[in-house]
Amino acid sequence: MALMITDECINCDVCEPECPNGAIYQGEEIYEIDPGLCTECVGHFNNPQCQDVCPVSCIPFNPDVCETQEQLMAKYIRITQVA
């Protein structure tokens, strides 16, 4: 699964720089996560870094984007591949 940011987000700016894939960006009101870039930090870290640093715990798994560990690793390889 990709992660998502809920309405409890306080725009504290700590999650965005922690994302190794650049999946987190400032949306219209709160930070958002691009599910096409989110690998839950698979390939980079053992735990999702944004979840680890979020002071209000507003970054759950996105139930609309279910992916296996293998799919997340394939996405990691695809987005980190140097052209």
Side-chain angles (χ1 to χ4, degrees), residues 1 3 5 8 12 18 20 22 26 36 38 46-47 49 52 55 58 64 67 69 71 74 77 81 83:
M1 284 184 191
L3 299 167
I5 298 176
E8 288 81 29
C12 66
E18 295 300 318
Q26 179 63 53
C38 179
N46 292 330
N47 300 315
Q49 298 300 287
D52 286 350
C58 68
D64 295 331
E67 297 169 296
Q69 290 294 309
Q71 289 171 315
I77 292 168
Q81 210 169 12

Side-chain angles (χ1 to χ4, degrees), residues 23-38:
I24 300 175
Y25 61 95
Q26 179 63 53
E28 287 187 34
E29 294 183 26
I30 60 172
Y31 279 92
E32 297 181 22
I33 297 178
D34 179 344
L37 294 175
C38 179

Side-chain angles (χ1 to χ4, degrees), residues 2 7 11 23 26 30 33 37 41 54 59-60 62 68 79 82:
D7 292 345
N11 289 315
Q26 179 63 53
I30 60 172
I33 297 178
L37 294 175
C41 289
C54 181
I59 308 176
N62 186 339
T68 66
I79 64 178
V82 177

